[in-house]
């Protein structure tokens, strides 16, 4: 044991003071369930054993000690202790997926995010509504969807709506008719891939090769 480690143990006022450095920030089996624990704590349930029994059927595979330590940290910390917010990529994935495909832990985490961000809540409604039009071929709903988007203060989505509106008839047809250009696009992508494998990406060097080839 090094002198630095001895000083660390000697200077620790509580066991929690020993958890620092590389131990911090590591993912835990409890992370996905912390929003649920936060909700139960805010509802007045501060018994770790009770909450541990509630999250086990939801898929939690960690120990009861982790739950007890999290509640103890909440109880002793002078500042509020809550779950870390999910990454933007994770939230985007939850919004873009079908609601029924979300797990029992992802549902409450997304709900907690949307409660604290009304704009994101409105965006989620529009994205899922468009997804329903796309998968169920309900192109006749597009004008109502565009009007609903314009009523909300979502500049990024307004740009998308304006682009769709410029080619409204074609988009409605794409959302309604069973035919698709997916096969053609697949062949085009395959040809582009073969060209890149043979000649590399487009650039001055490739252009010079083509000029010499056809001159």
């Amino acid at each position: 044991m090094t002198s630095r480690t001895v000083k660390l143990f000697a200077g620790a006022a509580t066991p929690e003071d020993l958890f620092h450095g590389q131990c911090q920030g590591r993912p835990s089996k409890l992370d996905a369930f912390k929003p649920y624990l936060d909700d139960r704590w805010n509802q007045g349930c501060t018994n770790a054993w009770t909450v541990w029994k509630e999250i086990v059927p939801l898929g939690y595979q960690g120990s009861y000690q982790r739950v007890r330590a999290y509640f103890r940290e909440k109880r002793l910390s002078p500042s509020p202790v809550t779950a870390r917010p999910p990454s933007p990529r994770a939230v985007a994935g939850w919004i873009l997926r079908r609601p029924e495909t979300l797990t029992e832990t992802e549902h409450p985490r997304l709900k907690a995010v949307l409660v604290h961000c009304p704009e994101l809540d409105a965006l989620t409604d529009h994205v899922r509504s468009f997804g329903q039009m796309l998968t169920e071929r309900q192109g006749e709903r597009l004008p109502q969807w565009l009007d609903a988007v314009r009523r909300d203060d979502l500049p990024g989505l307004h740009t998308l709506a304006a682009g769709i509106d410029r080619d409204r008839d074609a988009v409605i047809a794409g959302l309604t008719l069973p035919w698709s250009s997916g096969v053609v696009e697949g062949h085009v992508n395959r040809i582009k891939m073969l060209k890149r494998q043979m000649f590399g990406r487009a650039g001055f060097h490739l252009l010079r090769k083509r000029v010499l080839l056809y001159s």
Side-chain angles (χ1 to χ4, degrees), residues 122-192:
L123 175 65
T124 301
D125 290 338
H126 294 314
V127 169
R128 289 179 171 175
S129 178
F130 191 89
Q132 185 179 14
M133 284 193 296
L134 179 65
T135 56
E136 299 181 9
R137 295 179 185 172
Q138 299 175 346
E140 70 279 0
R141 292 177 47 206
L142 182 64
Q144 291 80 9
W145 183 84
L146 292 173
D147 292 340
V149 167
R150 294 190 183 99
R151 286 195 294 267
D152 287 326
D153 186 17
L154 300 169
L157 204 57
H158 290 175
T159 303
L160 173 64
I164 291 176
D165 206 16
R166 284 194 295 268
D167 206 6
R168 178 183 292 206
D169 291 340
V171 177
I172 291 177
L175 293 173
T176 307
L177 302 176
W179 300 288
S180 170
S181 62
V183 176
V184 177
E185 294 295 335
H187 287 306
V188 171
N189 288 334
R190 183 174 60 85
I191 293 171
K192 289 181 178 180

Side-chain angles (χ1 to χ4, degrees), residues 26-207:
R26 288 184 177 178
S28 166
K29 293 180 180 179
L30 189 62
D31 290 345
F33 300 89
K34 284 182 178 179
Y36 180 87
L37 268 60
D38 294 340
D39 289 341
R40 297 292 285 125
W41 178 274
N42 295 333
Q43 293 168 6
C45 181
T46 59
N47 187 291
W49 180 262
T50 299
V51 179
W52 175 73
K53 290 193 296 183
E54 293 176 0
I55 62 176
V56 168
L58 299 179
Y60 176 63
Q61 299 178 350
S63 64
Y64 157 71
Q65 284 73 18
R66 288 182 182 271
V67 179
R68 184 179 63 178
Y70 186 62
F71 270 25
R72 185 174 186 274
E73 185 181 2
K74 279 178 168 292
R75 190 174 292 108
L76 299 179
S77 177
S79 56
V81 176
T82 57
R84 293 182 180 181
S87 67
R89 176 176 295 183
V91 176
W94 298 337
I95 293 174
L96 293 174
R97 284 162 52 192
R98 292 175 179 267
E100 61 269 19
T101 65
L102 297 178
T103 65
E104 292 180 338
T105 57
E106 290 171 341
H107 269 295
R109 297 194 72 185
L110 176 59
K111 180 181 177 181
V113 172
L114 300 183
V115 166
H116 292 88
C117 185
E119 293 83 2
L120 201 57
D121 191 18
L123 175 65
T124 301
D125 290 338
H126 294 314
V127 169
R128 289 179 171 175
S129 178
F130 191 89
Q132 185 179 14
M133 284 193 296
L134 179 65
T135 56
E136 299 181 9
R137 295 179 185 172
Q138 299 175 346
E140 70 279 0
R141 292 177 47 206
L142 182 64
Q144 291 80 9
W145 183 84
L146 292 173
D147 292 340
V149 167
R150 294 190 183 99
R151 286 195 294 267
D152 287 326
D153 186 17
L154 300 169
L157 204 57
H158 290 175
T159 303
L160 173 64
I164 291 176
D165 206 16
R166 284 194 295 268
D167 206 6
R168 178 183 292 206
D169 291 340
V171 177
I172 291 177
L175 293 173
T176 307
L177 302 176
W179 300 288
S180 170
S181 62
V183 176
V184 177
E185 294 295 335
H187 287 306
V188 171
N189 288 334
R190 183 174 60 85
I191 293 171
K192 289 181 178 180
M193 180 190 69
L194 293 174
K195 289 174 66 176
R196 290 195 186 103
Q197 290 176 346
M198 295 172 62
F199 304 106
R201 289 189 172 274
F204 179 76
H205 182 65
L206 177 59
L207 179 62

